[in-house]
Amino acid sequence: MTAFARRARATAARMHPELSLVSFTLLSHLEDQGGCRATDLAAHYMLDKSTISRQVGALEKAGLVERRLDPADHRVHVLHLTDRGDEVLAQVGDARRVAFRDRLGGWGEEDLTRFAGYLLRYNEAVEAGEEAVSGEK
């Protein structure tokens, strides 16, 4: 698992020079959610607010994320991808798909199905563990 994580970080760095694995993950979450508050990011990834604040600051400085007032509550700022953030995320997504195709291209359907099943099972176990820790169901 350590080698897998190390390889993922290195791959992220090669995919786009401005985007770390953490940055990619945060941008992906913002895209998936259609925007969210920094406190929501911190809660979702179980990170300290100061850690998220530094990451978001770097993404803002790079022009990938912007803060907008929440129309329902003008005291709250919601993070959204900028057009540039959308473009960079799309570029990285395309590069990831190519990399996966290259790595898994020689695998047979049975191997791919088994691998996908193991990944789903692993992610479900992780989510169940997170829910148990947070008290969610």
Side-chain angles (χ1 to χ4, degrees), residues 89-110:
L89 194 57
Q91 289 170 359
V92 172
D94 291 344
R96 289 179 75 216
R97 279 186 287 286
V98 168
F100 285 131
R101 231 177 285 135
D102 290 347
R103 289 182 191 137
L104 303 174
W107 291 33
E109 188 173 337
E110 186 178 321

Side-chain angles (χ1 to χ4, degrees), residues 4 21 27 42 46-47 54 56-57 66 69 83 92 115 132:
F4 181 79
L21 181 59
L27 291 176
M46 294 185 271
L47 293 170
R54 282 190 301 277
V56 167
E66 65 185 1
L69 283 176
D83 290 342
V92 172
F115 182 60

Side-chain angles (χ1 to χ4, degrees), residues 1-4 8 13 22-23 31 43 73 77 85 90-91 116 119 125 131-132:
M1 292 303 289
T2 302
F4 181 79
V22 172
S23 297
E31 179 187 51
D73 183 351
H77 284 95
Q91 289 170 359
L119 287 174
E131 289 173 0

